[in-house]
Each structure stands twice: as structure tokens, then as C-alpha cells.
Amino acid sequence: MFNTPALVAEITALADAYEKALGENDLVALDAFFHDGPETVRYGVGENLYGAEEIAAFRRARSGGSPPRKVLRRAITTLGESSAVVSLEFQREGSTRIGRQMQTWVLTDKGWKIVAAHVSLMAERPETSRPAS
């Protein structure tokens, strides 16, 4: 039931394509990754978006697109043959904060689409003090 190798490979390719589109601010491609319906939800770092129209409008209003980032760790979990979750940790260029992103993908009649996404940044961690030697 979990992590059929062929399906993991397919979702991995989609996740890679999503990261490429995000880095290039390819709005047409980014819109195409999301299910085009009112039930699609994306919680961002500073916004809650309900429906594909709100998600697309947010992307178009954001100057310069998503800040450049490096993926630190990614886990892909397939659930049966028609749903998957992509979880990743990232770090934006010039930041020490760790970001997290989760996407729920479902297989629709138009291919694999994201129906739910969540992006958040972890709080800054205070530097730990070390005892004097």
C-alpha cells in the first residue's frame, strides 16, 4: 500500500518539476500543479488561501516570486495508487531558518494535482551558550 517504487519515482519527478517551476517563478506551471477547484487549500508563511483562484492570485501579486531556497530533506509517501504526500525541509538563501512544506497530491482525470499545501518557517533558534573551558 505504501511507497510503490514506480509511483514514488513518478511523484519524485513531479516534486522536482515543482521545485524548478518555483525557482523560475513559472506561474503557468505552478498553477498547473494545483487542482483547479474551490476545495484546494494552500497555507503559506503569511497567508491562508482557499481555492485555486486565490492561490493563483497570490502568486501573481507576489513581486519576484518565491525567495530562492535549497531543499535540505524530502520524504515522499505514496498512499495506495492515487494519493501521495510530499514533505520537505528547505532553507532560503541568506537565512538560517528552516522552512517546511507539505503537499498532498491526488491522481485526477487531469493527472496528478496538489489539493492541499502548507508552507511554514520554524522560529529562529537562539544560539546555545557553551560553558567556558
Side-chain angles (χ1 to χ4, degrees):
M1 174 177 180
F2 294 106
N3 294 342
T4 307
L7 191 50
V8 169
E10 187 175 357
I11 299 299
T12 297
L14 287 166
D16 289 344
Y18 179 89
E19 283 299 311
K20 182 178 186 292
L22 188 66
E24 295 174 354
N25 198 32
D26 183 342
L27 300 178
V28 172
L30 290 168
D31 288 347
F33 284 113
F34 283 82
H35 171 65
D36 186 13
E39 52 281 307
T40 303
V41 176
R42 179 186 177 277
Y43 292 152
V45 173
E47 65 286 337
N48 296 330
L49 306 170
Y50 292 87
E53 290 181 17
E54 283 187 17
I55 295 167
F58 164 77
R59 289 197 190 285
R60 279 157 182 71
R62 183 166 60 176
S63 176
S66 180
R69 69 186 194 179
K70 175 175 69 170
V71 174
L72 303 175
R73 184 175 183 180
R74 181 171 64 188
I76 294 175
T77 306
T78 63
L79 311 164
E81 296 298 315
S82 61
S83 60
V85 177
V86 177
S87 307
L88 64 82
E89 292 179 38
F90 65 88
Q91 190 168 26
R92 290 178 172 170
E93 286 184 12
S95 176
T96 58
R97 295 176 75 180
I98 300 299
R100 299 169 293 188
Q101 173 181 291
M102 293 190 79
Q103 298 171 330
T104 302
W105 292 73
V106 297
L107 185 57
T108 72
D109 59 351
K110 295 181 180 178
W112 286 96
K113 301 293 179 182
I114 300 165
V115 295
H118 187 120
V119 182
S120 61
L121 295 173
M122 295 178 69
E124 288 281 353
R125 295 183 187 179
E127 293 196 31
T128 57
S129 58
R130 297 180 183 210
S133 347

